[in-house]
Amino acid sequence: AYLFLPGCRLAGSCPEQTTALYSFLRDRLEGGVGLWIRCCGAPADWAGREEELRHETAKIAEEWKSMGSPIVVAACTSCLALFPRETPSIKTVSLWEILDGAELPEGFRPLERNLAVADPCTAAHSPEVGAAVRRVASRAGVRFQEPSLSGEFSFCCGFGGLQESANPTLAALSAKTRGEESSLDFLVYCAMCRNLFAQAGKPAVHLLDILFPQGDEDPAGRPAIG
């Protein structure tokens, strides 16, 4: 009935948390939950490769139909932005809205300090996702503040538009500038943002690090993934 799509970065950046999250969804959602490890096609879109994007989205639609046309539970706001536009037949729902309507996993562990919520730029037009994230974080005991630019005014961490690939220097500057919005460590819900901030030396905690903690080390110090 459901198909969990972590996005191309989450499973690689947080494999243990992704595995725990998948088990959690299988326990909570009725009708069975599949796992879809693939790219949504956003990089082709950002690169202006329209023919490649059409080719990729056709493959996505074919794979989805072969699995019984399930509801796609997407963790990434870039995926959530692209699917309705390019593959409108695929029904999608945000992972964070699913978690918002469920009991929290046992063993969640909030940090004993304030954090600043850093919304991904692709969440700017999805206020319901940002609101769900904040409700989940509050229920998990997270103390957080809003940086000067958040919600619809969020700007890119340096990954969007393939900035990191096309102009790494500018991408690093984007991440550094974004990180300077707050002296607090960031609370993020985008794996790409988390990676760019870590590369720029800005401590950032992914919300899944709090919901599905792995070990006793401070998750803000987790290194970036190459």
Side-chain angles (χ1 to χ4, degrees):
Y2 295 91
L3 186 59
F4 174 42
L5 177 68
C8 59
R9 278 288 176 107
L10 183 61
S13 299
C14 310
E16 294 86 1
Q17 293 87 339
T18 303
T19 301
L21 171 59
Y22 179 45
S23 296
F24 176 83
L25 293 175
R26 291 177 67 191
D27 289 339
R28 297 302 192 282
L29 298 178
E30 295 183 0
V33 185
L35 182 63
W36 209 9
I37 302 292
R38 65 141 36 249
C39 172
C40 71
D45 182 41
W46 292 337
R49 300 282 293 275
E50 293 186 7
E51 183 176 345
E52 183 146 354
L53 177 62
R54 300 286 94 74
H55 176 71
E56 193 62 23
T57 52
K59 285 172 57 181
I60 287 171
E62 183 179 345
E63 290 176 13
W64 172 73
K65 287 181 181 177
S66 75
M67 290 182 277
S69 304
I71 297 172
V72 174
V73 179
C76 172
T77 52
S78 294
C79 296
L80 285 167
L82 190 74
F83 270 57
R85 193 185 80 209
E86 299 296 333
T87 51
S89 61
I90 298 179
K91 182 178 180 181
T92 57
V93 63
S94 168
L95 164 70
W96 308 106
E97 292 179 281
I98 292 287
L99 294 179
D100 186 31
E103 292 185 11
L104 293 181
E106 296 180 5
F108 69 84
R109 189 166 65 233
L111 301 183
E112 296 181 358
R113 61 181 184 274
N114 290 341
L115 303 171
V117 181
D119 295 295
C121 60
T122 46
H125 303 293
S126 302
E128 69 281 357
V129 175
V133 165
R134 286 159 173 79
R135 287 192 295 268
V136 171
S138 294
R139 289 167 54 209
V142 181
R143 302 193 307 269
F144 60 87
Q145 300 176 12
E146 300 291 340
S148 54
L149 296 174
S150 63
E152 64 179 313
F153 299 108
S154 295
F155 66 97
C156 184
C157 66
F159 186 86
L162 297 183
Q163 187 181 158
E164 185 189 25
S165 300
N167 193 333
T169 301
L170 181 60
L173 179 61
S174 295
K176 181 176 182 295
T177 302
R178 182 77 193 276
E180 290 172 348
E181 280 188 77
S182 175
S183 60
L184 301 175
D185 293 355
F186 273 162
L187 173 67
V188 302
Y189 52 103
C190 170
M192 291 177 284
C193 290
R194 202 272 158 193
N195 218 46
L196 267 289
F197 293 142
Q199 288 176 3
K202 175 68 176 182
V205 180
H206 198 288
L207 184 49
L208 291 182
D209 289 322
I210 291 171
L211 297 179
F212 302 98
Q214 304 293 316
D216 297 325
E217 295 184 1
D218 188 341
R222 188 159 46 83
I225 302 299

